């Protein structure tokens, strides 16, 4: 282990200095006080440590297990002459940097191990609401083209939770996937997404490892501004600073209104000459009733290796997972042997004072969350074939007369099927389902649902077979005609619209067993397809009258049963309208 402090010529600490063990893929960064600790079990004591920071001369020192202070000296650029640059030279540099990405960054998939610290606090309070520290592994895909995400695995975690956690009535996503969402070069976002939407100004020329680096200021009309640092010789992007107040691009969280987002990203050149995502500092603030909630994230890549295989699905930390809600056991022996961004003494004392609950979740706040996590919302499209048997119909009203016969025919109903299910016990659900037809003729229903999930692939991405039993009320409507009439009455209800749809209608109770196949897309979303068979009973057949011109909430509906109110519907078969088969396809959403 080597530890120490990085300072400048004036003995002032230099934060976030890159430290790298020569001829290896291991390293870290100093903290805000310039202090660092670097641990390795694969290098020898006489190995060399490379210490570098933008604007300072890079130094190489021998490993020494004693705590030492290392001084970095400013590296200035001596311009040899005046070079006239075109007005759009900043844009030209950005375009060249974008084109050069496949040559400056890895084009082979890699596995990055890194350290993450997430802190949330109220601006007026120095003590954090909570702190989460985690060691994660991330699959970094090729930089040859744009990538929006990657797989993440949570290795170790420890948490501090203050008694003010109850004051925080929201949870903020982030954490494990920051390495992907903030990798500007990989995602081709901000100024790399649409360079022409920004204006550029070359502010300075800096040095790193005897190479010139352009400091380019950028901004757009939406409130995004910052600096990008581009290497003069190869056009590699080595650092990005973004200040963002473009609120329209971010969703507010309930009553919390986002004020700003600041991101700092640095890339470090490896032994192979390629640049890699090294460090990220992220800070954002939300305002609620004159209170300001601040979230900060710090991430550093501590190890890089080839990625011979992906992260198994069951081990992945997913995008919508909360670090604060992780229940991974706390390993007290782990943290002293892993490279991290050193916390200050106050933070370390907070962890020590909170160890008994460092793996728990605030019970007062999460009891409701745990209940909500048991709910599933299903949104699917339903296809139902409807068979219409031969019939004769006679209906006499003071306003109009309907007399017609119908032959055997088949129609299809397309409906929106929605359900809300609660996981009463593991993989057993009970809930309510509603179906509303999207076509003129169709089916509506209200059912009680009982369902069971059986996982066919317990060692990988879950694939479920789900037997299900539904029972409840169903109404099948077949459109007959539209009538422009005067006011008329049906079962004592006055229909006062000038336009009324009339349907052949059948009400029934029904039992419907079905079987569903579900494939988990993420821990929040499943894709599903279902097949069911309908057993109706206690049917009643008649006409349904439905107003059309009023506002839909005030449109009146009236049902007249056959053999009542001068309505007679004759049919030779047991049922006038038969619906047996049911096919569903769609998604299931669950909280996490």
């Amino acid at each position: 282990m080597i530890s120490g402090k990085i300072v400048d010529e004036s003995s002032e600490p230099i934060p976030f200095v890159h430290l790298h063990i020569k001829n290896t893929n291991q390293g870290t960064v100093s903290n805000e006080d310039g202090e660092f600790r670097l641990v390795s079990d694969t290098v020898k004591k006489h190995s060399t440590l490379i210490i570098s920071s933008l604007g300072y001369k890079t130094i190489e020192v021998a490993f020494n297990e004693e705590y030492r202070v290392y001084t970095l000296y400013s590296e200035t650029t001596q311009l040899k002459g005046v070079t006239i640059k075109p007005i759009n030279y900043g844009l030209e540099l950005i375009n060249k940097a974008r084109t050069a990405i496949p040559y400056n960054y890895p084009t082979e998939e890699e596995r990055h191990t890194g350290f993450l610290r997430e802190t949330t606090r109220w601006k007026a309070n120095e003590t954090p609401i909570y702190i989460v520290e985690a060691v994660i592994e991330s699959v970094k895909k090729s930089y040859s083209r744009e990538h929006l995400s990657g797989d993440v695995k949570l290795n170790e975690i420890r948490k501090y939770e203050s008694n003010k956690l109850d004051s925080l009535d929201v949870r903020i996503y982030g954490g494990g996937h920051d390495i992907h969402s903030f990798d500007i070069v990989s995602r081709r976002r901000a100024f790399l997404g649409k360079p022409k939407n920004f204006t550029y100004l070359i502010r300075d020329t800096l040095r790193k490892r005897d190479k010139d680096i352009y400091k380019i200021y950028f901004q757009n009309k939406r409130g995004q501004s910052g600096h990008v640092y581009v290497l003069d010789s190869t056009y590699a992007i080595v650092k990005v600073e973004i200040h963002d107040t473009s609120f329209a691009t971010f969703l507010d969280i309930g009553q919390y209104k986002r004020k700003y987002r600041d991101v700092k990203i640095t890339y470090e050149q490896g032994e192979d000459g390629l640049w890699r995502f090294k460090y990220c500092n992220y800070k954002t603030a939300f305002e609620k009733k004159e209170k300001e909630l601040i979230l900060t994230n710090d991430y550093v890549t501590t190890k890089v290796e080839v990625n011979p295989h992906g992260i198994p699905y069951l081990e992945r930390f997913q995008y919508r997972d909360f670090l604060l809600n992780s229940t991974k056991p706390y390993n007290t022996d782990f943290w002293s042997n892993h490279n991290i961004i050193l916390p200050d003494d106050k933070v370390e004392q907070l962890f020590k004072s909170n160890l008994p609950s460092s793996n728990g979740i605030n019970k007062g706040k999460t009891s409701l969350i745990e209940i909500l996590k048991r709910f599933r919302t299903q949104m699917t499209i339903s296809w139902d074939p409807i068979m219409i048997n031969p019939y004769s119909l006679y209906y006499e009203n003071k306003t109009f007369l309907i007399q017609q016969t119908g032959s055997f025919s088949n129609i299809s109903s397309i409906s929106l099927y929605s359900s809300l299910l609660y996981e009463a016990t593991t993989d057993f659900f009970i809930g309510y389902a509603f179906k509303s037809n999207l076509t003129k003729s169709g089916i509506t229903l209200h059912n009680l649902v009982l369902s069971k999930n059986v996982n066919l692939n317990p060692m990988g991405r879950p694939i479920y077979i789900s037997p299900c039993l539904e029972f409840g009320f169903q109404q099948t409507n077949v459109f007959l005609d539209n009538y422009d009439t005067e006011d008329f009455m049906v079962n004592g209800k006055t229909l006062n619209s000038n336009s009324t749809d009339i349907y052949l209608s059948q009400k029934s109770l029904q039992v419907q067993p079905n079987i569903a196949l579900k494939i988990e897309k993420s821990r929040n979303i499943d894709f599903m397809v279902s097949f069911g068979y309908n057993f109706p009973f206690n049917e009643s057949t008649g006409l349904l009258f439905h107003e059309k011109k009023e506002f839909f909430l005030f449109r009146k509906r009236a049902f007249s049963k056959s053999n009542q109110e001068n309505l007679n519907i004759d049919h030779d078969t047991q049922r006038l309208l038969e619906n047996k088969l049911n096919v569903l396809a769609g998604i299931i959403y669950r909280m996490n």
Side-chain angles (χ1 to χ4, degrees):
M1 182 180 71
I2 182 173
S3 62
K5 186 174 184 178
I6 313 297
V7 299
D8 61 15
E9 303 100 313
S10 303
S11 298
E12 292 295 322
I14 307 176
F16 314 127
V17 174
H18 292 201
L19 299 111
H20 172 72
I21 303 174
K22 192 172 184 178
N23 298 323
T24 75
N25 54 13
Q26 301 176 46
T28 187
V29 296
S30 62
N31 65 10
E32 292 184 348
D33 297 322
E35 295 184 319
F36 71 93
R37 184 189 71 199
L38 187 56
V39 182
S40 176
D41 59 358
T42 60
V43 299
K44 299 178 181 179
K45 292 183 179 180
H46 59 264
S47 297
T48 300
L49 181 67
I50 301 174
I51 305 176
S52 64
S53 184
L54 191 61
Y56 295 90
K57 293 182 179 180
T58 299
I59 63 173
E60 297 186 6
V61 298
F63 254 68
N64 192 309
E65 292 189 342
E66 295 180 2
Y67 183 93
R68 289 198 173 186
V69 176
Y70 300 92
T71 302
L72 295 185
Y73 294 90
S74 298
E75 186 172 21
T76 58
T77 301
Q78 183 67 42
L79 297 179
K80 296 181 179 180
V82 177
T83 303
I84 304 299
K85 301 292 185 183
I87 296 177
N88 291 329
Y89 189 61
L91 175 60
E92 182 180 335
L93 281 173
I94 298 301
N95 285 329
K96 288 182 177 179
R98 181 182 172 94
T99 302
I101 288 175
Y103 306 101
N104 288 317
Y105 303 86
T107 55
E108 300 293 332
E109 190 170 277
E110 296 180 334
R111 178 78 66 96
H112 286 199
T113 301
F115 169 78
L116 173 71
R117 178 181 292 121
E118 179 179 299
T119 307
T120 301
R121 63 182 178 88
W122 294 111
K123 185 176 181 180
N125 297 326
E126 291 186 3
T127 302
I129 301 172
Y130 71 82
I131 308 172
V132 181
E133 292 186 344
V135 175
I136 60 175
E137 292 183 24
S138 304
V139 173
K140 295 295 292 178
K141 298 182 180 180
S142 166
Y143 280 77
S144 59
R145 63 184 181 88
E146 174 185 346
H147 287 291
L148 300 183
S149 63
D151 294 336
V152 173
K153 176 183 177 181
L154 181 62
N155 284 349
E156 297 292 341
I157 187 169
R158 68 172 182 171
K159 295 176 280 186
Y160 161 78
E161 299 174 5
S162 76
N163 55 12
K164 296 186 180 297
L165 189 59
D166 289 340
S167 68
L168 186 62
D169 51 3
V170 298
R171 296 291 185 270
I172 301 174
Y173 299 120
H177 281 265
D178 286 350
I179 187 172
H180 300 294
S181 61
F182 297 143
D183 189 344
I184 298 296
V185 176
S186 174
R187 299 192 68 176
R188 314 298 205 264
R189 290 299 176 91
F191 57 88
L192 283 178
K194 296 180 179 179
K196 291 184 178 180
N197 291 347
F198 290 80
T199 57
Y200 303 91
L201 178 65
I202 298 177
R203 284 277 176 86
D204 202 352
T205 304
L206 305 175
R207 299 280 289 174
K208 184 172 183 178
R209 298 192 184 185
D210 299 323
K211 296 177 182 178
D212 288 333
I213 296 175
Y214 286 106
K215 180 181 180 180
I216 306 169
Y217 175 77
F218 63 86
Q219 70 174 27
N220 65 7
K221 296 179 180 180
R222 297 172 57 191
Q224 296 176 338
S225 62
H227 293 94
V228 54
Y229 299 77
V230 179
L231 195 64
D232 183 31
S233 55
T234 63
Y235 305 107
I237 295 173
V238 302
K239 185 177 180 179
V240 180
E241 300 167 338
I242 298 176
H243 177 66
D244 198 338
T245 58
S246 56
F247 306 129
T249 62
F250 301 106
L251 296 178
D252 294 327
I253 306 176
Q255 299 180 11
Y256 292 81
K257 304 298 180 183
R258 188 188 291 266
K259 295 186 65 178
Y260 63 84
R261 183 185 74 160
D262 290 336
V263 186
K264 296 179 182 178
I265 310 109
T266 60
Y267 297 84
E268 184 71 3
Q269 192 173 29
E271 302 290 338
D272 55 2
L274 298 176
W275 295 81
R276 291 173 174 83
F277 186 85
K278 179 66 177 183
Y279 171 73
C280 175
N281 173 264
Y282 166 65
K283 182 178 181 180
T284 188
F286 295 89
E287 190 173 42
K288 177 184 179 183
K289 297 180 180 179
E290 299 182 352
K291 294 180 67 178
E292 190 170 312
L293 178 68
I294 298 175
L295 170 73
T296 58
N297 277 347
D298 282 293
Y299 169 86
V300 60
T301 300
T302 57
K303 185 178 180 181
V304 177
E305 55 190 333
V306 296
N307 186 50
H309 52 78
I311 297 175
Y313 179 82
L314 295 180
E315 296 180 11
R316 294 177 193 171
F317 187 89
Q318 300 194 6
Y319 178 74
R320 295 178 69 88
D321 289 346
F322 294 106
L323 275 174
L324 188 63
N325 289 355
S326 172
T327 57
K328 185 177 178 63
Y330 176 58
N331 181 357
T332 56
D333 297 328
F334 176 82
W335 294 95
S336 61
N337 297 313
H338 192 84
N339 289 317
I340 66 173
I341 303 173
L342 285 179
D344 59 33
D345 291 337
K346 291 182 180 179
V347 170
E348 192 61 40
Q349 289 302 318
L350 290 176
F351 277 112
K352 291 180 179 178
S353 67
N354 199 224
L355 282 179
S357 62
S358 61
N359 293 309
I361 304 172
N362 181 274
K363 303 301 181 184
K365 277 291 176 184
T366 57
S367 56
L368 177 60
I369 294 175
E370 290 301 315
I371 292 174
L372 293 176
K373 287 171 65 175
R374 288 181 169 269
F375 280 96
R376 306 288 187 270
T377 301
Q378 180 175 327
M379 297 291 292
T380 54
I381 298 297
S382 172
W383 175 74
D384 301 84
I386 300 173
M387 183 172 66
I388 308 171
N389 290 309
Y391 67 93
S392 61
L393 182 152
Y394 177 88
Y395 177 71
E396 184 177 359
N397 188 283
K398 292 180 180 180
T399 306
F400 57 88
L401 173 68
I402 302 175
Q403 187 173 359
Q404 65 175 247
T405 59
S407 59
F408 176 84
S409 62
N410 285 303
I411 62 172
S412 293
S413 167
I414 305 297
S415 306
L416 178 64
Y417 178 95
S418 306
S419 68
L420 182 64
L421 303 179
Y422 178 75
E423 189 175 13
T425 60
T426 303
D427 288 330
F428 178 75
F429 301 87
I430 183 170
Y432 163 76
F434 171 76
K435 183 185 289 186
S436 176
N437 58 288
L438 301 174
T439 51
K440 196 79 170 179
S441 299
I443 294 173
T444 60
L445 62 76
H446 302 269
N447 278 352
L448 177 67
V449 181
L450 301 174
S451 177
K452 174 70 176 178
N453 281 349
V454 179
N455 190 358
L456 302 181
N457 188 31
M459 302 305 293
R461 183 184 296 272
I463 301 174
Y464 298 104
I465 287 291
S466 298
C468 177
L469 183 65
E470 300 186 24
F471 52 92
F473 169 80
Q474 175 174 300
Q475 184 168 358
T476 306
N477 301 318
V478 175
F479 178 72
L480 293 180
D481 210 341
N482 176 269
Y483 289 86
D484 292 323
T485 67
E486 300 176 2
D487 294 355
F488 63 97
M489 295 188 65
V490 177
N491 283 338
K493 183 179 293 186
T494 300
L495 301 178
N496 53 17
S497 172
N498 290 327
S499 181
T500 301
D501 285 345
I502 300 182
Y503 297 84
L504 203 59
S505 183
Q506 182 173 284
K507 297 181 178 180
S508 66
L509 299 177
Q510 49 94 29
V511 176
Q512 180 177 293
N514 59 59
I515 189 78
L517 175 66
K518 305 173 184 177
I519 300 177
E520 187 173 298
K521 171 65 171 62
S522 69
R523 277 191 281 275
N524 296 99
I525 294 178
D526 295 342
F527 295 126
M528 66 89 64
V529 60
S530 171
F531 301 90
Y533 196 87
N534 189 27
F535 295 94
F537 61 94
N538 197 28
E539 298 106 333
S540 61
T541 304
L543 290 179
L544 173 67
F545 300 85
H546 188 198
E547 292 180 350
K548 293 297 294 178
K549 288 191 175 179
E550 297 293 334
F551 182 64
F552 76 97
L553 292 176
F554 303 106
R555 293 173 186 170
K556 296 179 183 177
R557 297 163 66 95
F559 178 78
S560 181
K561 189 176 181 180
S562 182
N563 299 322
Q564 293 180 358
E565 288 198 335
N566 300 321
L567 171 63
N568 184 51
I569 302 175
D570 291 328
H571 51 93
D572 296 333
T573 56
Q574 182 180 0
R575 297 181 182 87
L576 173 60
L577 306 175
E578 293 194 53
N579 160 240
K580 296 181 179 179
L581 181 65
N582 169 259
V583 179
L584 298 173
I587 64 172
I588 299 173
Y589 174 81
R590 56 185 176 273
M591 291 188 64
N592 194 16

